[in-house]
Amino acid sequence: MIKWHERPVARLCLRLSGAVALWRAWLFVSALYVEVHAHPPRPASLGELGACAAVVTLVLVGNALLFVGPALFRQVEIPRRWHGTSVAEGLQTAAL
């Protein structure tokens, strides 16, 4: 059975959504640039800080989807030594 992220349409959609995320980041950056240079210097407002956080998030997600794409959803084999252990067991052994 083919996994959903290995289908050609899904690959295309993942890459396109990455490009759209980068485009949205560009729009946020251009709006912030205009706002910063239009007014005299002042502390950043909460909305401007939120827009900057949105830019960082959009750039990270956009780059990951555009350049890595479906490989983000590939399963990774876990080493044998990690099978059957839990976080609580690791903490108990570290406390001893």
Side-chain angles (χ1 to χ4, degrees):
M1 181 172 140
I2 295 178
K3 296 178 182 161
W4 71 270
H5 57 85
E6 293 177 357
R7 295 184 179 163
V9 174
R11 289 176 185 231
L12 180 66
C13 288
L14 286 169
R15 305 274 180 176
L16 282 176
S17 61
V20 167
L22 290 174
W23 174 70
R24 293 291 299 180
W26 176 260
L27 291 178
F28 269 117
V29 167
S30 61
L32 284 170
Y33 182 83
V34 168
E35 190 168 329
V36 165
H37 291 325
H39 299 292
R42 61 176 171 73
S45 69
L46 192 58
E48 291 169 345
L49 292 175
C52 290
V55 166
V56 170
T57 304
L58 285 170
V59 167
L60 288 172
V61 169
N63 280 329
L65 288 173
L66 185 64
F67 295 112
V68 181
L72 288 171
F73 302 100
R74 228 183 270 153
Q75 290 187 352
V76 180
E77 186 176 339
I78 298 175
R80 267 242 188 261
R81 66 178 181 198
W82 294 105
H83 287 282
T85 60
S86 69
V87 176
E89 290 175 7
L91 291 175
Q92 289 173 355
T93 6
L96 297 176

